[in-house]
Amino acid sequence: MKSLKQLSIALLGASVLSTIAAAVLAQDCKDPGQLVFSIIPTEETTQELDIYQPLLKALKEKTGKSVEFFMPTSYASVIEGMVNGWVHVGVHGPNSYVLAREKDPTLEVFATYTKAKGHFQEEGPGYRAVLVVKADSKFENLDSLKGTVTGLADPASTSGNLMPRMVFGDEIGTGPELEKYFSKVVYTGGHDQSALAVKEGRVDSAFVATHRLDNVIDRGLAAEADYRVLWQSGIIPQDPMVYRSDLCEPIKQAIREAFLTLHENPEAKSFFEGINSTKFVAMQDSDYDIIRKLVAAEKAAEGQ
């Protein structure tokens, strides 16, 4: 049996090892001199950058670091920026977040925003994919859309590709191969472009996120009366705010605080009005498991 002295030495040794391990982990965390922030692209990404200024200011104040905005060219560019480690904080779509985390498990969702009630968007931290046609078109139901041209937003989009192929496709019996139902399926490059393509008659229908459709209307590019909804999905969790989990904990804590307390700052009123939101709320990775299930079903259907 060990003496009290031997036990004390053993405990002291364990304590020292624990302290050393913690110090090593702390050294392994990233403490960049500048934070890089990016968002998935929309028709008006430059305009959204102006809207995001109160948030960028809060990030700078809370973290004590300068914040640079990375101008994206696609959903994939935001994914690659974060996976490669030179984008530290990003706004993803639910599907692009899941795709990014598959590539790099050190990416971590920490928040999303609650949406105010809009033209097509309902209040809360979720949204829907809607299949819209031009209000004065001849298309009155799904059957009438057979053999027509439909628009999808981006291959990495949740409501602009994943939900249409996996949920809508399942309902109409084609699975992910929407091309068996429509004569042509085109990627427009974004939800805003999809909405405008419907209005301008470049596609007969398009799958658009409700909050993105509202954005087009609020910018005066279209009117609510221009569209008719022929199908809608269930609720999808809103766009995740994501950071790299290998950032040092004080930095991550400061980033979370910047987002989750932003609604308390009167200067941020224009920001929340600009995105039709009321505040950010905490989220965790498991909140996006529904998206993972859809992605897994899509891969299974494609024989991957």
Side-chain angles (χ1 to χ4, degrees):
M1 185 174 179
K2 291 184 177 180
S3 66
L4 182 60
K5 183 178 179 180
Q6 289 175 317
L7 182 59
S8 296
I9 291 173
L11 290 174
L12 178 60
S15 176
V16 170
L17 288 174
S18 177
T19 302
I20 292 173
V24 170
L25 287 174
Q27 290 173 358
D28 287 344
C29 72
K30 302 295 192 299
D31 184 11
Q34 175 181 258
L35 291 176
V36 179
F37 175 83
S38 190
I39 60 177
I40 53 175
T42 69
E43 176 89 354
E44 299 293 340
T45 300
T46 303
Q47 179 185 9
E48 289 208 9
L49 175 56
D50 292 335
I51 293 172
Y52 272 79
Q53 287 305 313
L55 175 59
L56 298 181
K57 181 180 178 182
L59 279 172
K60 181 178 180 180
E61 291 174 350
K62 296 290 186 182
T63 64
K65 298 179 180 295
S66 62
V67 180
E68 178 187 349
F69 179 75
F70 165 65
M71 183 67 70
T73 56
S74 65
Y75 284 54
S77 66
V78 182
I79 292 174
E80 291 307 314
M82 293 206 73
V83 168
N84 292 330
W86 47 270
V87 173
H88 306 105
V89 186
V91 181
H92 290 261
N95 187 32
S96 64
Y97 163 66
V98 168
L99 294 174
R101 190 173 165 87
E102 284 182 355
K103 293 186 174 184
D104 187 351
T106 64
L107 302 187
E108 182 180 347
V109 59
F110 63 91
T112 191
Y113 44 73
T114 58
K115 281 290 187 180
K117 189 179 185 318
H119 309 285
F120 293 92
Q121 171 64 40
E122 54 202 272
E123 184 176 359
Y127 67 102
R128 298 179 190 270
V130 289
L131 177 61
V132 295
V133 297
K134 199 171 181 180
D136 60 2
S137 72
K138 63 182 180 181
F139 308 111
E140 297 290 341
N141 51 51
L142 295 182
D143 283 341
S144 66
L145 285 177
K146 288 180 180 178
T148 62
V149 179
T150 195
L152 299 177
D154 184 284
S157 172
T158 305
S159 51
N161 187 60
L162 183 62
M163 296 295 282
R165 289 194 180 276
M166 297 312 301
V167 179
F168 177 80
D170 185 59
E171 291 182 14
I172 62 174
T174 66
E177 298 181 69
L178 295 182
E179 292 79 2
K180 291 181 177 179
Y181 191 85
F182 298 98
S183 64
K184 189 175 183 181
V185 177
V186 297
Y187 285 106
T188 65
H191 293 277
D192 300 0
Q193 294 93 321
S194 290
L196 293 176
V198 170
K199 179 190 174 186
E200 296 165 5
R202 289 183 281 117
V203 296
D204 299 307
S205 64
F207 293 87
V208 188
T210 47
H211 58 302
R212 295 297 185 188
L213 184 55
D214 279 4
N215 289 347
V216 173
I217 295 167
D218 291 340
R219 294 204 310 271
L221 301 177
E224 182 178 354
D226 289 333
Y227 302 100
R228 188 183 333 118
V229 175
L230 295 188
W231 177 86
Q232 68 175 18
S233 73
I235 291 290
I236 306 166
Q238 281 286 1
D239 294 346
M241 313 294 123
V242 180
Y243 53 38
R244 291 192 55 84
S245 61
D246 58 3
L247 291 172
C248 293
E249 186 56 40
I251 301 173
K252 292 190 290 184
Q253 182 177 343
I255 292 171
R256 291 194 301 268
E257 186 176 348
F259 277 80
L260 297 176
T261 65
L262 190 65
H263 64 283
E264 300 171 3
N265 183 352
E267 294 182 7
K269 182 180 179 182
S270 61
F271 166 75
F272 286 110
E273 288 178 346
I275 63 171
N276 292 320
S277 177
T278 54
K279 63 180 180 179
F280 286 105
V281 293
M283 295 288 274
Q284 57 188 4
D285 182 68
S286 60
D287 291 322
Y288 294 86
D289 283 348
I290 180 61
I291 307 301
R292 289 187 175 89
K293 291 178 181 178
L294 290 172
V295 170
E298 181 181 38
K299 290 180 178 178
E302 294 173 351
Q304 296 181 4

